[in-house]
Amino acid sequence: MGKSGRPATLRDVAAAARVHPATASRALSPSTRLLVSEETAQRVTEAAQRLGYRPNPVARSLRTRRSHTIGVLIPDLNNPLFPPMVRGLEDRLAERGYVALLGNTDAHEDRERTLFDQMRARHVDGLALATATLHSPLLAEAVEAEVPVVLMNRIAQEYPFSSVSVDNEQGEKAAVTHLALLGHTRIGHIAGPQETSTGASRYRGFAAGMAAHGLPVADGQVVYATAYSIEEGQRCARELLDRDGRPGSPGGLTAIVAANDMLAVGCYGALDELGLACPDDMSVIGFNDMPFIDRLRPPLTTVRFPHYQLGTEAAKLLLERIEGDDAPVKILYLAPELVARGSTRAQSASGLTLPPSRVSGALPGER
Amino acid sequence: MGKSGRPATLRDVAAAARVHPATASRALSPSTRLLVSEETAQRVTEAAQRLGYRPNPVARSLRTRRSHTIGVLIPDLNNPLFPPMVRGLEDRLAERGYVALLGNTDAHEDRERTLFDQMRARHVDGLALATATLHSPLLAEAVEAEVPVVLMNRIAQEYPFSSVSVDNEQGEKAAVTHLALLGHTRIGHIAGPQETSTGASRYRGFAAGMAAHGLPVADGQVVYATAYSIEEGQRCARELLDRDGRPGSPGGLTAIVAANDMLAVGCYGALDELGLACPDDMSVIGFNDMPFIDRLRPPLTTVRFPHYQLGTEAAKLLLERIEGDDAPVKILYLAPELVARGSTRAQSASGLTLPPSRVSGALPGER
DNA sequence: GTGAAAGCGCTAACAT
DNA sequence: ATGTTAGCGCTTTCAC
C-alpha cells in the first residue's frame, strides 16, 4: 500500500523508478524482463516492492483478454462426491494463478444454461463441466466460441473436449470379481439411473463381471433406481429381495452390488426391515467410497473413486488446452480401486456363510 | 454472437442503433435507463438483442471499481460443514449477480495470507471469512482497506464486522438438558480445541447446562481434544472412560457430550474397543448434524446447526454492507436445534438403563 | 534498451 | 435527451 491510501499503480512505480510505465511493465513481467537492462529492472522491482505494488488483474485482463478464471459447473456441492473434486481442481488451478467460479446446476436445465451464459459473460478462460444433464447446445456453443472445456466424469465423443473419468465399467467388474472370489454366485444389482453415464457403465461392468465368471443373470436380478438416493436404494433392495426370495431360500441372492454408496446404504435399511444381517445373510458392495462410509456398521465394502485426483487431472488437462499451443484432446481414465471392508464375506456354494477369509487379499489393487 | 466472429461490443450496438456509445450504455443499464428516451432505449435494446451483445464485466469493473465478486475463505471444503454453507452463500449471492471466489486455507496461516492478498488483488467487493485461524493482521488490513467483511461462525468484537453464528453455548446447554431429562447425572464432555470459538463456547454451554441442573463436574469429567477429528474423539473417550471408571462401576459416567459429531463418532470407536454398547451402556451426543450421521448405528443424537442458512444470512449481511449506504454492523445468532436419535436413552438414578421414554419429547425445538 | 502512443470496453462528468 | 471527452490500469506495437 502506498502512503497515499489508494493502492499503487504501475504509473506510480514507473515514476518512483524514473522510467516510463511501459518499461516498468516490461521489467515486472517475467516474460518480458529480458528486454530491459538488468539495472533498471532492478530499480523497478525495488520501487514496486517499496510501494507495495500489486498489478491490477482487471486491467490486465481487459488488455490481454485472459481472465485467469475457470468456470466450474457441478450439480450440487452438497453431494459428497464433489467437494474433493472441486478442491483438486482449485488446488491445481491456484498453483497456476487461476481461480474457479463455481456454479451449482441442481441438474436443472435452465439453471445450467444461465450459469453457462454468466460464465461466458465473465470471460472465463475455460470450463470444467461435471453436470449430469449436459445438453448438446451448451457443448456446441462452447465449441463455436472456442472456449476450452474439460469434462469431469463424463465423455462426449462427438466433441473435441478432453475428459477425465473413472473407469466405471472396470470398477463394477472388480466388485463382481470380489464377490465371485468369495464364493457368491447369486448376485443382484441395483443399477443407477440409466440415463447417467455412471449408471449405464456400471451396469455394463456388472454384466461383464458376471459373464466373466460364468454366472447367470436372471431377469429379476437387476433393479433400476431412478435416483442415487438412500430411499431409492431401500426401495430397490426391497424389490430385489421380494422377487428373488430371501437369502437362504433356494435360489435366493447372497450378495448385492449397488451402483453407488447411497444405494448401498439403502440396502442396509431394507435388510434391517426384513430382519436380515449384513454380511451374515447378505453381502453388500457400493461404489465411491464416500467419506464416513467406513464408519457404518458394517463398514461398507466399496469401489473407491479417486475424486480429488479427478479434479487435479481435469485441471491439468484444461490448462494444457488453454496454455499449450497445440495440446491434443485427451481422454483420461483413472483406475478405481476395490476397498474390502466388513459388508462382504465369503459364502459357501451351499448358501452357508463362511468365516471371513483371506481370499479377497488376492485381488489386485485392493487394500 | 455477432456475425463477425468476435463478440459484439457496446460500440457495435451503438452503431447499429445509430446512437453514441454512451447513450447505448445508459439505455442498457437499469439504473440509468430513465435518462434516455423510451424510443431510443427500445432501439438500443433491440440492437443489443440482435447482436447478442453481452457487456464485458472486466471493462465494467475496471471503470466502476466494483467486481461483483466476493471472496470466501474457509478452512477446507472437504469438511462436511462447509459445502452447505458455501451453497447458501453462493445461492444468495447469485441472486444478486455476485459470484464467489473460494479459497481453502487448510487452517494454514501463510496460505490464508496468500489467498487474502490474491482476493484483494482481484478487487473483491467483500469478504466472507470462516477460517478457524483468523489473525488480527488480516482483519486490521481489511478494515484499513475498507473491504466489507462478514464473519461466519466467528465473532470479532473488536472489529466493525457483521457476523452470523450459531449460538453454540445455548446448543450445548440444550444437549445437557436433554440428557438430564433422561435421568443422566454423571455426564462427561469431550471439549473441542479451546482456541476455537466453537470449542470454547460449547464448553461453556456444557458447564452452564450442568450447573443449571445442579450436576457437579469433577476434574476428570472433561477432556480436551486438540482437533475435531474422529481419532481425537476416540483418544479422548478412552481417557474419559479410563479416568472415571467404566459405566456401571460406581461413579462411572453414563453419558458423553462431544463438542462435535466427529468427536462423537470417535466415542463410538472407543466404546467398541471396550466392548461397551451405545446407548445401552453409554449415551453419546454430538454437535452439527452432519450428513449421514443419522445413518450410523446407532443414529447419533446431535445438535443441529443450520449450515445452509448460515451461508444465506452471511450473504445477506455482506450485501447489505456492500450495497447499503449506511447498513449497520449486525451480530446475528442462529438458534441450534436438538435432534434426538438413537444414541441417547433414559437412565435410572441407580445406573440402570431404562427403556426409551417419551420424556425427551418435552424439549423445546426437538424433532 | 527505452519512450511514445494507442487502445482493450466501458461509464461518468460535463456540455449541449 | 443525447453527444463529447476522458480515463480506469495495463500491455503492446512502433519508433528511436
Side-chain angles (χ1 to χ4, degrees), chain B:
Chain B
M1 252 65 51
K3 288 267 146 180
S4 55
R6 115 187 159 314
T9 115
L10 191 55
R11 241 189 167 77
D12 301 333
V13 175
R18 313 184 59 66
V19 293
H20 193 272
T23 306
S25 169
R26 288 189 271 254
L28 261 17
S29 267
S31 62
T32 47
R33 169 143 196 175
L34 348 83
L35 299 180
V36 125
S37 86
E38 184 51 38
E39 196 223 67
T40 50
Q42 204 74 43
R43 225 169 55 242
V44 171
T45 312
E46 192 212 316
Q49 182 78 36
R50 186 154 38 81
L51 298 181
Y53 169 71
R54 336 191 111 285
N56 181 333
V58 177
R60 178 176 287 170
S61 286
L62 183 59
R63 190 62 235 238
T64 60
R65 335 203 96 258
R66 303 283 310 285
S67 61
H68 280 258
T69 298
I70 302 294
V72 182
L73 253 43
I74 61 172
D76 179 14
L77 191 57
N78 287 319
N79 182 327
L81 310 187
F82 293 112
M85 220 155 102
V86 170
R87 271 227 63 174
L89 205 51
E90 290 186 340
D91 286 356
R92 214 6 145 262
L93 291 178
E95 284 173 11
R96 309 279 290 269
Y98 286 77
V99 298
L101 248 38
L102 192 63
N104 295 276
T105 66
D106 288 319
H108 238 285
E109 206 165 320
D110 36 341
R111 186 100 190 92
E112 185 171 307
R113 144 77 41 202
T114 309
L115 284 165
F116 180 83
D117 287 344
Q118 279 176 2
M119 296 195 161
R120 293 251 296 118
R122 279 178 183 266
H123 288 126
V124 294
D125 293 340
L127 245 15
L129 305 179
T131 51
T133 61
L134 201 50
H135 304 290
S136 348
L138 255 39
L139 296 184
E141 277 176 47
V143 173
E144 201 197 342
E146 300 182 74
V147 186
V149 169
V150 67
L151 266 20
M152 296 188 293
N153 210 28
R154 274 228 125 217
I155 297 171
Q157 307 280 11
E158 46 303 1
Y159 292 101
F161 297 149
S162 289
S163 65
V164 32
S165 18
V166 170
D167 191 334
N168 287 290
E169 194 163 335
Q170 152 106 14
E172 204 68 299
K173 200 170 156 185
V176 172
T177 296
H178 171 69
L179 292 170
L181 290 180
L182 287 174
H184 293 271
T185 55
R186 294 185 304 283
I187 306 172
H189 181 46
I190 300 183
Q194 292 299 294
E195 65 277 15
T196 67
S197 65
T198 51
S201 55
R202 287 175 198 169
Y203 170 63
R204 281 198 303 277
F206 170 78
M210 294 296 276
H213 291 277
L215 302 175
V217 179
D219 250 15
Q221 219 162 319
V222 176
V223 177
Y224 298 88
T226 61
Y228 281 123
S229 69
I230 294 178
E231 292 68 29
E232 266 295 286
Q234 189 152 349
R235 181 187 70 73
C236 292
R238 241 184 253 128
E239 195 172 326
L240 215 46
L241 296 174
D242 270 6
R243 279 196 200 164
D244 269 271
R246 316 268 286 261
S249 70
L253 301 177
T254 63
I256 297 177
V257 173
N260 91 349
D261 288 346
M262 302 286 269
L263 296 174
V265 171
C267 287
Y268 280 17
L271 291 174
D272 264 0
E273 280 178 357
L274 298 169
L276 297 172
C278 171
D280 301 328
D281 300 315
M282 180 74 68
S283 285
V284 174
I285 188 163
F287 206 116
N288 275 342
D289 196 22
M290 278 181 15
F292 302 104
I293 207 76
D294 56 331
R295 292 286 160 176
L296 297 184
R297 309 265 180 93
L300 186 70
T301 294
T302 189
V303 180
R304 179 176 296 161
F305 185 110
H307 300 98
Y308 183 85
Q309 285 75 9
L310 189 42
T312 57
E313 295 299 327
K316 266 197 235 171
L317 294 187
L318 186 55
L319 289 177
E320 271 182 17
R321 296 283 292 171
I322 291 174
E323 301 189 334
D325 303 306
D326 52 357
V329 167
K330 295 183 185 167
I331 312 292
L332 178 64
Y333 283 95
L334 266 28
E337 180 189 8
L338 184 78
V339 184
R341 298 204 183 96
S343 69
T344 49
R345 136 166 336 181
Q347 177 83 12
S348 77
S350 66
L352 294 175
T353 296
L354 300 176
S357 92
R358 289 296 82 202
V359 62
S360 69
L363 260 188
E366 196 174 317
R367 20 170 298 153

Side-chain angles (χ1 to χ4, degrees), chain A residues 36-362:
Chain A
V36 129
S37 84
E38 184 49 39
E39 195 223 66
T40 50
Q42 204 75 44
R43 223 167 58 242
V44 171
T45 312
E46 192 213 314
Q49 183 77 37
R50 185 154 38 83
L51 298 182
Y53 169 71
R54 337 191 110 284
N56 181 333
V58 177
R60 177 177 287 169
S61 286
L62 183 59
R63 192 58 237 239
T64 61
R65 336 209 88 250
R66 304 282 310 284
S67 62
H68 281 255
T69 298
I70 302 294
V72 181
L73 252 43
I74 61 171
D76 178 15
L77 191 58
N78 287 319
N79 182 327
L81 310 187
F82 293 111
M85 220 155 98
V86 170
R87 271 225 63 174
L89 205 50
E90 289 186 340
D91 287 356
R92 207 23 136 252
L93 291 178
E95 286 172 9
R96 308 279 290 269
Y98 286 77
V99 297
L101 249 36
L102 192 63
N104 295 276
T105 66
D106 289 318
H108 237 285
E109 205 166 322
D110 34 341
R111 186 99 189 93
E112 184 171 308
R113 144 79 39 203
T114 309
L115 284 165
F116 180 83
D117 287 345
Q118 280 176 1
M119 296 195 160
R120 293 251 298 116
R122 279 175 183 267
H123 290 126
V124 294
D125 292 341
L127 243 16
L129 305 179
T131 52
T133 60
L134 201 50
H135 304 289
S136 349
L138 254 40
L139 297 183
E141 277 177 45
V143 174
E144 202 196 341
E146 301 181 72
V147 186
V149 170
V150 66
L151 266 22
M152 295 187 294
N153 211 27
R154 273 227 125 217
I155 297 172
Q157 309 278 11
E158 49 295 9
Y159 292 100
F161 296 149
S162 289
S163 65
V164 32
S165 18
V166 170
D167 191 335
N168 287 291
E169 194 163 335
Q170 152 107 14
E172 204 67 300
K173 200 170 155 186
V176 172
T177 296
H178 171 68
L179 292 170
L181 291 180
L182 287 173
H184 293 270
T185 57
R186 295 185 304 283
I187 304 172
H189 182 45
I190 300 183
Q194 293 299 294
E195 64 276 17
T196 66
S197 64
T198 50
S201 55
R202 287 175 198 170
Y203 171 64
R204 281 198 304 278
F206 170 78
M210 294 297 276
H213 291 277
L215 302 175
V217 179
D219 251 15
Q221 219 161 320
V222 176
V223 177
Y224 298 88
T226 61
Y228 281 123
S229 68
I230 295 178
E231 292 69 28
E232 267 295 285
Q234 189 153 349
R235 182 187 70 72
C236 292
R238 243 184 250 129
E239 195 173 327
L240 215 47
L241 296 174
D242 270 5
R243 280 195 200 163
D244 269 272
R246 316 269 285 262
S249 70
L253 300 177
T254 62
I256 297 177
V257 172
N260 90 350
D261 289 346
M262 303 284 270
L263 297 174
V265 172
C267 287
Y268 280 16
L271 291 174
D272 264 359
E273 280 178 355
L274 298 168
L276 297 172
C278 172
D280 301 328
D281 300 315
M282 180 73 66
S283 286
V284 175
I285 187 162
F287 207 115
N288 274 343
D289 196 21
M290 278 180 16
F292 302 105
I293 208 74
D294 56 330
R295 293 285 160 176
L296 297 184
R297 309 262 181 96
L300 186 69
T301 294
T302 189
V303 180
R304 178 176 296 160
F305 185 109
H307 299 100
Y308 184 84
Q309 286 76 7
L310 189 43
T312 56
E313 294 300 326
K316 268 196 235 173
L317 293 187
L318 186 55
L319 290 177
E320 272 182 18
R321 294 283 292 171
I322 291 174
E323 302 188 334
D325 302 307
D326 52 355
V329 167
K330 294 183 186 168
I331 312 292
L332 178 63
Y333 283 95
L334 265 28
E337 179 190 7
L338 186 76
V339 184
R341 298 203 183 98
S343 69
T344 48
R345 138 170 332 185
Q347 177 84 13
S348 76
S350 65
L352 294 176
T353 295
L354 300 176
S357 94
R358 290 294 83 202
V359 62
S360 68

